[in-house]
Amino acid sequence: MEMAQPESLAELLNGRRAAVDASWPAVGYLAGWLLFHSIGAGAAGALICALGVVAWRLRRGDKPRAVLIGLLGVCVAALIALHTGKAEDFFLLQLLSNGASVLVWVLSIVVRWPLLGLVVGAVLGQRTRWRRDPELLKAYSRASWVWVLQYVIRVAVFLPLYAAGQTGALAGARIVLSWPLVAACLAVSWWVIQRTLPAGHPGLRHPVAEQPA
C-alpha cells in the first residue's frame, strides 16, 4: 500500500521558492560591490533586491511577517558590513546562522524533537501529534540529518572564503548554496521519509498514535 500523501516536502514547505528569494539580495550586493567597489553600493543593491522580493510576495498575497523577516536579515547584514568596513562581513550573519543551525538541528534530533517534524507538523496544523507516532518520529529524525548536512556544507564552504576575504566568491557561494542546495535537501529528506515509513503507513497528514501496552 502506498503512502496516502500526495505532497512532497518541497510542496508543503515552499522551500525552493524561499531559497530563490533569499538569493536575490546576494546578487544585488555582488552587483553593487563589483560595479562601484563600494560596500554602500553593495548594501544598496541588496536592499533594492530585498524590497523587490517583499513587494512581489506581498502582491501575491504572502504573509507579511514571513517576507519582512527576510528583509530584516538583509538590513542587519548590510549594517554589519557598513559598520566594520569589510565587504565580506555582509555574509557574516549567514555564516553564523548556518553554524547555529547545525547545533540546533543536531540537538533537536538528540532530544527526540526533530525540527523537521516540528516544522511540518506546524504547517499541517498537527502541533506535536506526530510525536505519538513512533514511525513518523523515526522518519523525521532520520530526515533531519539531511538538513544538518545542508548547514554543514554551507559552513564548510563559507568559512574559508570568509577568512580569506573573498567577497565575490562568498556571493557566488551564497547563490549556488541557496535554491539548488535547498532543492536537493528537500528531495533527499523526502526520500528518506518515504524509505523509513513502513508500507501501509497513512502518511504525514495522518499520524498513527502508538497503542498502550
Side-chain angles (χ1 to χ4, degrees), residues 16-51:
R16 279 178 282 195
R17 188 186 71 179
V20 170
D21 290 349
S23 67
W24 281 111
V27 173
Y29 184 80
L30 179 61
W33 184 74
L34 288 177
L35 287 173
F36 300 100
H37 299 285
S38 164
I39 296 175
L47 289 173
I48 290 172
C49 288
L51 288 170

Side-chain angles (χ1 to χ4, degrees), residues 77-179:
L79 288 173
I80 292 173
L82 289 169
H83 176 72
T84 63
K86 296 181 179 179
E88 65 270 21
D89 279 351
F90 179 80
F91 303 95
L92 179 60
L93 182 63
Q94 181 74 18
L95 174 60
L96 294 176
S97 65
N98 278 276
S101 294
V102 172
L103 298 177
V104 172
W105 278 77
V106 169
L107 180 61
S108 76
I109 298 168
V110 171
V111 300
R112 294 176 61 80
W113 282 86
L115 274 177
L116 185 57
L118 290 172
V119 171
V120 176
V123 170
L124 296 178
Q126 298 171 344
R127 297 186 180 180
T128 59
R129 285 192 294 116
W130 55 271
R131 286 199 79 247
R132 297 197 291 271
D133 183 336
E135 298 297 342
L136 264 183
L137 177 58
K138 181 168 65 174
Y140 282 136
S141 295
R142 289 182 177 178
S144 289
W145 284 113
V146 180
W147 292 71
V148 172
L149 179 60
Q150 172 195 203
Y151 296 118
V152 168
I153 289 172
R154 288 206 186 100
V155 172
V157 174
F158 290 156
L159 186 58
L161 294 177
Y162 175 80
Q166 296 293 321
T167 304
L170 276 167
R174 176 72 178 88
I175 296 166
V176 172
L177 296 181
S178 290
W179 69 266

Side-chain angles (χ1 to χ4, degrees), residues 13-14 17-18 21 53-68:
L13 303 181
N14 288 322
R17 188 186 71 179
D21 290 349
V53 169
V54 168
W56 174 253
R57 290 306 173 194
L58 291 177
R59 184 178 179 182
R60 291 175 62 87
D62 288 3
K63 294 180 180 179
R65 183 175 63 178
V67 293
L68 291 177

